[in-house]
Structures are given as structure tokens and as C-alpha cells.
Amino acid sequence: MDEKLRGLLLRSRYEGGKSQSLIAEEIGVSKKTVMHWEQGIGQPSLELFVAWLKACGVNPMRYLLEYLRPGVTDQ
């Protein structure tokens, strides 16, 4: 898995104050899948990544831009 994506998954969940179980339930995957993604085993599709961000209650566009163009959101 892309380490940048892994970092964004972890940070967004922590910033949103959500548990792995809650994210899994909200996006329709198992808790084990969430755990694997956070450990760098596999990765979500773009659709599931956006659903993850929404479930965390964070701004999806901010994270997508950060993934695609690091440093853009710092300005």
C-alpha cells in the first residue's frame, strides 16, 4: 500500500475521533478490513476512501488534494 494513503487513513480517523468498528460499519466493510488498511495491507478503492473520509466527518476534498498534491493544503 501507498504509505501516504495509509497515513491519511489513520490521521483522518483520529481527527474524526472515530473507532475502527464505527468506520467499518459506516462504509460497509469488516473491522478486519479497516485494520488491514491501517496496517498497509491492501487499500480501499477511491469510492471507499471518500466514504471513509465522510464517515470520519472530515473534509474529503482536503484529504484528496493532500494525497494528489502534497503541500497544496498548507497554503
Side-chain angles (χ1 to χ4, degrees), residues 47-58:
E47 180 181 8
L48 284 174
F49 179 50
V50 172
W52 174 295
L53 296 171
K54 289 179 179 180
C56 289
V58 298

Side-chain angles (χ1 to χ4, degrees), residues 1-74:
M1 174 194 262
D2 180 336
E3 281 300 309
K4 184 170 35 171
L5 178 58
R6 181 178 172 265
L8 292 174
L9 291 171
L10 287 166
R11 196 175 82 220
S12 62
R13 188 170 66 77
Y14 290 133
E15 286 182 8
K18 305 292 181 164
S19 69
Q20 290 178 331
S21 297
L22 182 62
I23 295 300
E25 182 179 322
E26 289 194 25
I27 68 172
V29 299
S30 69
K31 181 180 175 187
K32 186 173 186 175
T33 296
V34 168
M35 290 170 52
H36 280 168
W37 290 343
E38 289 187 352
Q39 293 169 357
I41 302 167
Q43 65 187 40
S45 64
L46 178 59
E47 180 181 8
L48 284 174
F49 179 50
V50 172
W52 174 295
L53 296 171
K54 289 179 179 180
C56 289
V58 298
N59 181 345
M61 189 56 70
R62 180 177 142 229
Y63 282 86
L64 290 169
L65 283 174
E66 186 173 337
Y67 180 74
L68 296 171
R69 299 195 55 201
V72 171
T73 58
D74 297 338

